Amino acid sequence: MRYKDFYVRITPDKYIPRVDKKGNKILCEGFLIQIFADKKEQGEIDNFTAAVGFEILEDSLAEAEQLAKDFIDCEGQKST
């Protein structure tokens, strides 16, 4: 996906580690989100995960895409 001047790769992931409210380590489904400066995806700027029930509510590519866009918009505001 391309958003503004960035290239975003979103990959499903079934093994995202998180800690639940009771302090237990659990594995969640979600997405790995990688942000690149170039089309060839060689200049990685950042990467992070979005776990269902933590950063996103549903196992939805559309929700992961929106989170990536929000991240890019937020980072853009910090640099100005």
Side-chain angles (χ1 to χ4, degrees):
M1 163 180 103
R2 184 178 170 123
Y3 182 68
K4 296 193 176 180
D5 292 331
F6 300 97
Y7 293 86
V8 181
R9 181 191 312 157
I10 301 175
T11 310
D13 191 341
K14 293 186 179 191
Y15 305 103
I16 300 173
R18 291 293 185 266
V19 177
D20 68 11
K21 291 179 182 180
K22 295 179 182 179
N24 300 313
K25 293 180 181 179
I26 59 173
L27 293 177
C28 302
E29 291 188 21
F31 299 91
L32 169 63
I33 301 170
Q34 298 170 283
I35 300 174
F36 299 93
D38 62 354
K39 189 175 185 176
K40 294 181 182 181
E41 298 181 348
Q42 293 178 348
E44 185 175 289
I45 294 173
D46 207 341
N47 71 64
F48 55 94
T49 55
V52 175
F54 289 83
E55 294 82 18
I56 56 177
L57 297 176
E58 299 176 1
D59 191 7
S60 160
L61 182 59
E63 200 168 337
E65 287 176 355
Q66 186 59 53
L67 181 66
K69 290 175 183 179
D70 292 345
F71 177 84
I72 290 169
D73 290 342
C74 182
E75 290 298 308
Q77 290 176 1
K78 286 182 183 178
S79 64
T80 56

